[in-house]
Amino acid sequence: MSVSQLSDEELISGFKDLVFDEREKLVLQLQHLAELDRRKLFFHYPSLRSYLVEEHGMEEWQAERKIRAARLLIRFPELEMQIQSGKMNLTLMELAQGCAHREKLSDAELSELFEAIAGLSSRAATREIATLYPESMTVPRDRIRPLSEELSEVRFVANQELLEKLDEIRGLLAHSHRLPRGATLGELIDVLATEYRERHHPEEKAKRAEARQQARQNQSETVDQPTAPRVPADEEKRSASAAMLHELTLKDGYQCSYVDPVTQKNCHSTYSLQVDHRHPWSQGGKTKLSNLRYLCSNHHARVSFLQFGENSKYFRRL
C-alpha cells in the first residue's frame, strides 16, 4: 500500500514506529562499532575509521562521529535508554564531549552534563553548556576540504604563540631557503614537514646509518685494516637495538606488515608503528631480525587479542 493511501492515524503511527526503530538501530550500530573497536576487528585497514569509510562508504566526519559516540556508550551505559527515548542524539553527545575535552571534566561531571542537556535542541544545549561553563568556547575542529585532485583547503585553530613561532621561522628560512616574507603558510609548513621527515623518519635514519657503516668499511679497506666485526644482537633483551631497528626498516620498510587472514591484504599504515615479536617474547620468542616486524598500534592490539585474549597485560580495553 502506498503511503498516500494511509489514514491519518496509520500515517502518524507508522512514522512513530519508524522513528523508534531508527533509534534502536542507532544503539545497535553503536554497540557493534564499540565491539569492533574493542577487538580491533577491521581487517587490513589501519583503523576503524578507515574501515567504515573505505569498506562501507561512510563520510569521514560521519564515521568519526559514530566512533566517538560508540566509545561514549561504553563509558556511559545510561545513554542507551536516552537515545532510545529520543532525549539524546549524536549531536548532543558531541557537544557534551567537546565541552568535557575543553574543561577536562571527570566522568561524573560529564554524566551530569549529559543529564543537563538531555531532551534539548542543539541550540538550547549550546546555551546550557555556555551557562554552566561560561569560560568554555566551541573551538572548530580541524578540517580538510578537497579542492582539486592536487589541492586541499586545511583549516585549524592556532594560538598566538604558534603564530609567532611560524613568523620567526619564516624569517630564519628567508635566506637558507629563499622563502619570501609573503610565502603562504602552506609553503612554510611544507618546508618544515620536509625537513622534519628527512631528519627523523626511520627510513632516512636507517639509510644514514647504513651509509656510515659503509664509509667505515671503505676507510678500513683503504688503510688496510680489518673490518670490525658486527656486534651480535643480544637476543635475550626484549627491546631491539637501534642498529637492529635500522636493519628491520631497510628490510621491510617503515610500514605495518599485518596481513589480514580473511582479505589477504596488507595494512601498510605508517601511523603509530610498534615493534612486535612474531613469536611472542613471553613465550620464548627471541629478539632477532627474523622474529621482528612493524605493526600499527591497532593491529598490534588485534594480534595481542588473538594471542592472549583479554589479558590486561597485553590487551587494553576501551
Side-chain angles (χ1 to χ4, degrees):
M1 180 185 294
S2 172
V3 175
S4 61
Q5 296 175 318
L6 297 175
S7 66
D8 290 352
E9 291 77 11
E10 290 173 331
L11 185 61
I12 292 173
S13 176
F15 184 72
K16 285 183 178 179
D17 290 341
L18 288 174
V19 170
F20 182 75
D21 186 54
E22 183 180 11
R23 293 169 184 165
E24 282 195 325
K25 286 183 177 179
L26 175 59
V27 170
L28 192 59
Q29 187 181 58
L30 295 180
Q31 290 173 339
H32 276 73
L33 286 176
E35 187 63 15
L36 287 172
D37 193 27
R38 188 180 69 84
R39 300 188 193 185
K40 306 303 176 189
L41 182 56
F42 24 81
F43 303 107
H44 59 281
Y45 297 101
S47 66
L48 182 56
R49 183 183 65 83
S50 297
Y51 169 68
L52 296 177
V53 171
E54 299 181 36
E55 190 73 18
H56 296 286
M58 280 192 189
E59 294 290 339
E60 290 194 7
W61 65 269
Q62 184 183 30
E64 291 178 355
R65 192 184 201 192
K66 289 191 174 182
I67 291 170
R68 288 194 294 267
R71 290 170 177 168
L72 280 176
L73 203 64
I74 297 299
R75 290 170 57 194
F76 304 96
E78 64 272 15
L79 291 177
E80 179 178 334
M81 293 298 298
Q82 291 183 329
I83 293 175
Q84 290 180 340
S85 67
K87 292 183 178 180
M88 187 61 59
N89 55 45
L90 297 181
T91 301
L92 293 179
M93 292 168 72
E94 197 160 61
L95 288 172
Q97 192 173 29
C99 177
H101 177 73
R102 294 189 299 273
E103 297 293 324
K104 305 295 188 294
L105 302 184
S106 66
D107 280 3
E109 291 171 327
L110 180 53
S111 181
E112 291 177 1
L113 183 57
F114 281 131
E115 288 292 335
I117 65 174
L120 301 181
S121 66
S122 59
R123 182 174 298 179
T126 301
R127 285 198 296 266
E128 180 67 19
I129 291 173
T131 301
L132 294 172
Y133 300 97
E135 299 299 321
S136 177
M137 67 175 188
T138 302
V139 179
R141 294 184 177 275
D142 295 352
R143 178 185 176 190
I144 301 177
R145 183 170 68 93
L147 299 177
S148 66
E149 187 174 349
E150 296 293 330
L151 298 175
S152 294
E153 179 185 63
V154 180
R155 293 186 181 183
F156 65 95
V157 176
N159 57 30
Q160 187 59 34
E161 183 181 1
L162 174 57
L163 294 178
E164 290 174 358
K165 288 179 181 177
L166 290 174
D167 193 53
E168 181 181 7
I169 293 173
R170 193 197 304 270
L172 295 172
L173 297 177
H175 295 294
S176 59
H177 290 74
R178 296 183 180 179
L179 196 67
R181 187 169 184 82
T184 65
L185 281 176
E187 292 170 332
L188 175 60
I189 293 174
D190 179 57
V191 172
L192 297 176
T194 300
E195 290 201 352
Y196 184 90
R197 187 188 187 283
E198 291 176 352
R199 190 178 186 87
H200 297 286
H201 195 284
E203 288 184 0
E204 300 300 327
K205 288 183 176 180
K207 290 176 184 177
R208 290 196 294 270
E210 185 181 38
R212 288 193 297 269
Q213 177 69 21
Q214 186 62 46
R216 285 194 293 268
Q217 184 176 346
N218 293 339
Q219 184 179 13
S220 298
E221 293 174 353
T222 302
V223 298
D224 197 25
Q225 291 181 352
T227 304
R230 176 172 291 181
V231 178
D234 188 350
E235 296 182 0
E236 302 306 318
K237 289 185 177 180
R238 182 167 189 163
S239 299
S241 65
M244 184 175 291
L245 291 180
H246 292 329
E247 287 189 58
L248 177 64
T249 303
L250 291 172
K251 181 174 74 75
D252 295 340
Y254 190 69
Q255 59 185 359
C256 177
S257 60
Y258 181 82
V259 179
D260 183 75
V262 177
T263 64
Q264 293 300 309
K265 293 183 178 179
N266 292 79
C267 171
H268 293 317
S269 172
T270 60
Y271 184 78
S272 187
L273 297 188
Q274 300 169 354
V275 179
D276 174 63
H277 290 73
R278 295 176 185 272
H279 181 56
W281 168 266
S282 62
Q283 297 178 359
K286 301 297 183 181
T287 303
K288 56 184 180 180
L289 191 62
S290 60
N291 194 43
L292 299 180
R293 61 181 172 179
Y294 282 121
L295 292 178
C296 65
S297 57
N298 281 325
H299 281 133
H300 198 185
R302 174 64 179 166
V303 167
S304 297
F305 178 79
L306 295 175
Q307 291 174 336
F308 306 106
E310 296 187 46
N311 186 326
S312 61
K313 181 178 178 181
Y314 298 102
F315 185 79
R316 181 176 62 83
R317 286 174 173 268
L318 287 177

